[in-house]
Amino acid sequence: MGSPGVSTIAGRPSVGLIGGGFIGPVHAEALRRLGVPVAGLLGSSPDRAEAAAARLGAARVYRDLEELLADPHVGIVHITSPNDAHHSQALAALAAGKHVVCEKPLATTSAATRELVAAAASRPSLVAAVCYNIRFYPLCREMRERVAAGDIGRPVAVTGSYTQDWLSRPTDYNWRVEADGATDLRAAADIGTHWMDLAQYVTGAKIESVAADLSTVHPVRRRPRGAVETFSGSASSGGDLVDVSVTTEDQAFVLLRLAGGMRGAFHVSQVMPGRKNRLLLEVTGEEGTLVWDSEEPNRLEIGRRDRANESLIRDPALLHPAAAAAAAYPGGHAEGFPDTFVALFRAVHARITRPNEPIDALPTFVDGHREALLCEAIARSARSEAWAVVEDDPRPVGTTGGH
């Protein structure tokens, strides 16, 4: 149970956490709820790491990645660092014999994600997961089960959006607005990939080609000389600001063709005032429509033509058994964003302790690789102003579990 020589509690390996910014504390809180200890933390600087470790209850601070990977108490590495560090850190963790849970994107190019898929396939005893946490809302699982069971008939379309307002002013700045030197996508890659993963997960159909139109609303932004954390606000309060040219998109509009003849469309925006963090997914079938809104995550709307529409409030007693198993609380007790990470990490540890048991919802490095392929297709489409095929990897790769 776990890796040889690794300290565990109730069969669960301790975690080495990389990153103490916005999402790192979310990981730490979810792990604490599961009773999984954080053995230590690696931050962007010693001072920031010490402060984050004290705040999150991490047992120690690591000087560098090598020290983290050498810690015999660490059996699993959670990567919540900036995007450009994910590939090298995940590769090193796998080489050290550690399970890996990596925030998305797995890497910024499909060549790099392909390398990670191959590395994970060469170590089949290790779990290699990517944090597509939105799959773990119970009603998203309910949607998947209803589509698979034919409850809405043959699915013909999937539509929706992912919208935010935290970058809606030119004085809003964060490292995410900077081009990555690969696809140079931002909104489509940052939040659009969550939407596309959920759409494919719920419908069971892969996106095969895309037609994308990208828009930069604020081509010049005002950047503070210090760091600005994700969702922490803007630079509008003043201070030492510099003008910076921005080429990444603030919004994207994408048409989709999916396997089996399904069609789709979605838009993403990080400049929509009033939309704090809203993912909207609608799946249309010949006999009904399913609608889910992440800002009201405990409600599923079910549309019908020849009888009254329904509004299903999350209640394990009323859900498909697989969706009920994903729910942590009884009906009337709301579940939200933090609970999805608990469910995701529970699935990770189930795979570690019961490696031969299928864990249907677990997103793996294979899913992270597909994200890179989707982003590359969107970037090609936007440049050419034409449809672009999502390239399937021509070389067979192993999987590490999942669907």
Side-chain angles (χ1 to χ4, degrees), residues 123-176:
R123 306 293 296 267
S125 64
L126 298 178
V127 172
V130 180
C131 287
Y132 288 114
N133 63 294
I134 300 176
R135 295 183 183 195
F136 289 85
Y137 282 98
L139 290 182
C140 291
R141 182 55 182 263
E142 178 72 12
M143 293 175 77
R144 174 180 166 91
E145 297 301 330
R146 284 176 177 258
V147 171
D151 180 64
I152 61 170
R154 181 174 68 93
V156 297
V158 58
T159 57
S161 60
Y162 199 150
T163 51
Q164 302 172 329
D165 71 358
W166 70 290
L167 293 171
S168 59
R169 295 170 178 160
T171 50
D172 294 323
Y173 197 90
N174 180 266
W175 61 265
R176 293 176 187 272

Side-chain angles (χ1 to χ4, degrees), residues 9 71 80 117 165 183 210 212 221 225 237 256-257 273 280 293 297 305 325-326 333 345 347:
I9 290 182
D71 186 348
T80 72
V117 170
D165 71 358
T183 62
V210 300
R221 289 180 179 269
R225 293 194 185 275
S237 58
L256 309 170
R257 293 171 180 162
L280 176 68
D293 178 345
R305 173 177 174 173
H333 298 75
F345 300 160

Side-chain angles (χ1 to χ4, degrees), residues 209-213 255 377-389:
S209 57
V210 300
D213 185 23
L255 297 175
I378 288 173
R380 288 198 309 275
S381 172
R383 287 195 300 268
S384 65
E385 298 186 344
W387 282 90
V389 172

